[in-house]
């Protein structure tokens, strides 16, 4: 799937966007393959009601999504607009990928845009940052086990390098602990991360917070956003104990694979959303071309 997010940014474009759209251009009617799975009765689906998807630039330079002649709107009834062509292309591709039934749970870019546009819980940027940083107190890679010895060694070998990297990168102290209370995170560390997250705009922060909730880790999420980790690496590190247990006791293959690919997809979408919401227009256009 996504091989090296750190150094091969362009692979996101090839995997998520098999083509690129120009303003007003219709996308191909041939949908890309979507994984079929039973998500449960709570999942929202709807019969497909359009044939063609296109993007156009509207007022204020914002980009809109057109389903045939209808303009897409958010669940809150707001006109669906995004700040740049790259995000518009990502969203349009998701809508074009749908077959006879719209499977909204596969449309991660659309969901993230809806969240940023509607802000259904009416949170401020500061509230979003504080919610994200709550994961630092229970960060996945800060909680260690005392046994079995094999897992203790695995956590040390795989997690310590990432922990050392982020402490040096941001000049902070985090640490790890096998206590049920976890490590005591210094207030100075929290303030440093608060200031860093405050440098993100609202849309980028929406993407980053989404990644943090997927990985249950501020450390791994920043490692991914800063291109120190690939998507596969970040996801694997977030599931280290589970993967260890599977290696020793086996697993239900289809269930494990499905969960893994879904987590990768959500994490990749959130990371790319954060990048596309913050990078310059020139970088976004280059990403789409490549």
């Amino acid at each position: 799937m996504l091989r090296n997010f750190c150094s091969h940014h362009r692979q996101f474009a090839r995997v998520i966007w098999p083509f690129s759209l120009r303003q007003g251009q219709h996308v191909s009617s041939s949908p890309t393959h979507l994984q079929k799975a039973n998500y449960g009765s709570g999942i929202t689906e709807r019969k497909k009601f359009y044939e063609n998807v296109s993007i156009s630039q509207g007022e204020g330079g914002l980009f809109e999504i057109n389903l045939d002649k209808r303009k897409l709107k958010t669940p809150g009834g707001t006109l669906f607009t995004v700040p740049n062509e790259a995000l518009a292309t990502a969203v349009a591709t998701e809508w074009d990928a749908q077959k006879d039934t719209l499977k909204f749970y596969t449309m991660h870019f659309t969901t993230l845009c809806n969240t940023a546009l509607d802000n259904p819980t009416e949170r401020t940027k500061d509230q979003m940052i504080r919610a994200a940083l709550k994961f630092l107190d229970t960060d996945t890679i800060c909680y260690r086990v005392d046994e079995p010895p094999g897992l203790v060694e695995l956590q040390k070998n795989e997690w310590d390098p990432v922990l050392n990297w982020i402490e040096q990168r941001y000049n902070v102290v985090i640490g790890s602990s096998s206590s049920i209370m976890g490590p005591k995170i210094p207030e100075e560390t929290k303030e440093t991360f608060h200031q860093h997250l405050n440098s993100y705009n609202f849309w980028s922060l929406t993407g980053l917070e989404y990644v943090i909730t997927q990985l249950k880790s501020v450390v791994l999420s920043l490692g991914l956003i800063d291109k120190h980790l690939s998507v596969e690496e970040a996801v694997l590190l977030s599931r280290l104990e589970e993967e260890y247990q599977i290696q020793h006791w086996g697993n239900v293959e289809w269930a494990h694979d499905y969960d893994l690919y879904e987590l990768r997809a959500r994490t990749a979408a959130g990371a790319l959303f954060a990048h596309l919401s913050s990078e310059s227009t020139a970088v976004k256009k280059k990403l789409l071309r490549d």
Side-chain angles (χ1 to χ4, degrees):
M1 191 180 168
L2 301 174
R3 286 284 176 180
N4 193 347
F5 181 84
C6 305
S7 60
H8 296 285
H9 214 145
R10 293 188 295 271
Q11 286 192 340
F12 275 107
R14 287 197 289 269
V15 174
I16 298 176
W17 306 325
F19 50 85
S20 127
L21 289 172
R22 300 186 186 277
Q23 295 178 29
Q25 177 183 344
H26 290 285
V27 295
S28 166
S29 59
S30 300
T32 58
H33 174 72
L34 291 176
Q35 184 176 15
K36 296 180 180 179
N38 181 10
Y39 286 75
S41 59
I43 299 303
T44 302
E45 296 185 357
R46 179 181 176 181
K47 183 177 175 61
K48 188 175 179 180
F49 57 88
Y50 58 90
E51 292 294 330
N52 298 305
V53 184
S54 64
I55 62 175
S56 58
Q57 194 166 14
E59 295 183 5
L62 298 176
F63 288 83
E64 303 169 355
I65 309 299
N66 307 301
L67 306 177
D68 292 333
K69 296 183 179 180
R70 304 179 185 180
K71 291 186 180 296
L72 182 62
K73 292 187 177 181
T74 69
T78 302
L79 179 65
F80 190 104
T81 57
V82 297
N84 58 68
E85 187 179 2
L87 276 178
T89 303
V91 174
T93 302
E94 286 186 329
W95 285 86
D96 183 63
Q98 305 303 302
K99 296 184 179 179
D100 295 333
T101 301
L102 302 180
K103 301 179 185 290
F104 296 112
Y105 46 81
T106 68
M107 303 167 74
H108 306 305
F109 284 100
T110 300
T111 299
L112 287 166
C113 290
N114 282 333
T115 300
L117 287 166
D118 281 347
N119 191 13
T121 55
E122 299 182 347
R123 292 189 302 166
T124 64
K125 186 176 173 182
D126 188 68
Q127 288 174 322
M128 290 177 65
I129 293 172
R130 293 184 184 280
L133 290 181
K134 283 184 178 180
F135 282 90
L136 190 60
D137 291 318
T138 57
D139 200 286
T140 298
I141 74 170
C142 294
Y143 278 78
R144 308 297 175 87
V145 298
D146 290 321
E147 57 182 24
L151 182 55
V152 172
E153 182 178 5
L154 183 64
Q155 290 181 339
K156 178 178 177 59
N157 292 341
E158 299 296 332
W159 284 349
D160 279 2
V162 183
L163 200 54
N164 293 337
W165 167 82
I166 199 167
E167 289 182 332
Q168 294 176 17
R169 166 75 172 81
Y170 291 95
N171 192 27
V172 296
V173 175
I174 299 177
S176 61
S177 174
S178 58
S179 166
I180 192 173
M181 301 300 293
K184 177 64 176 177
I185 308 295
E187 289 302 318
E188 293 83 359
T189 295
K190 295 180 180 180
E191 180 58 29
T192 295
F193 284 130
H194 190 285
Q195 291 179 11
H196 175 69
L197 296 190
N198 196 45
S199 68
Y200 286 73
N201 63 44
F202 188 86
W203 283 65
S204 293
L205 192 57
T206 298
L208 175 57
E209 186 188 21
Y210 184 72
V211 175
I212 292 173
T213 60
Q214 299 306 311
L215 300 178
K216 307 295 189 294
S217 172
V218 173
V219 175
L220 294 177
S221 298
L222 289 178
L224 176 59
I225 296 296
D226 287 350
K227 304 177 187 177
H228 178 71
L229 298 171
S230 68
V231 171
E232 285 91 344
E233 288 170 339
V235 168
L236 181 61
L237 290 172
S238 75
R239 294 164 50 94
L240 200 61
E241 183 171 356
E242 181 178 354
E243 295 296 329
Y244 175 85
Q245 299 296 345
I246 287 171
Q247 289 178 10
H248 282 72
W249 305 106
N251 67 289
V252 180
E253 185 174 350
W254 67 266
H256 169 262
D257 291 345
Y258 174 73
D259 290 344
L260 180 62
Y261 293 140
E262 273 296 292
L263 182 55
R264 282 180 181 174
R266 293 192 299 269
T267 301
L272 185 55
F273 184 90
H275 277 291
L276 293 181
S277 298
S278 62
E279 291 179 333
S280 68
T281 301
V283 172
K284 296 187 188 82
K285 288 184 177 178
K286 183 177 186 301
L287 175 60
L288 284 175
R289 289 196 204 101
D290 294 346

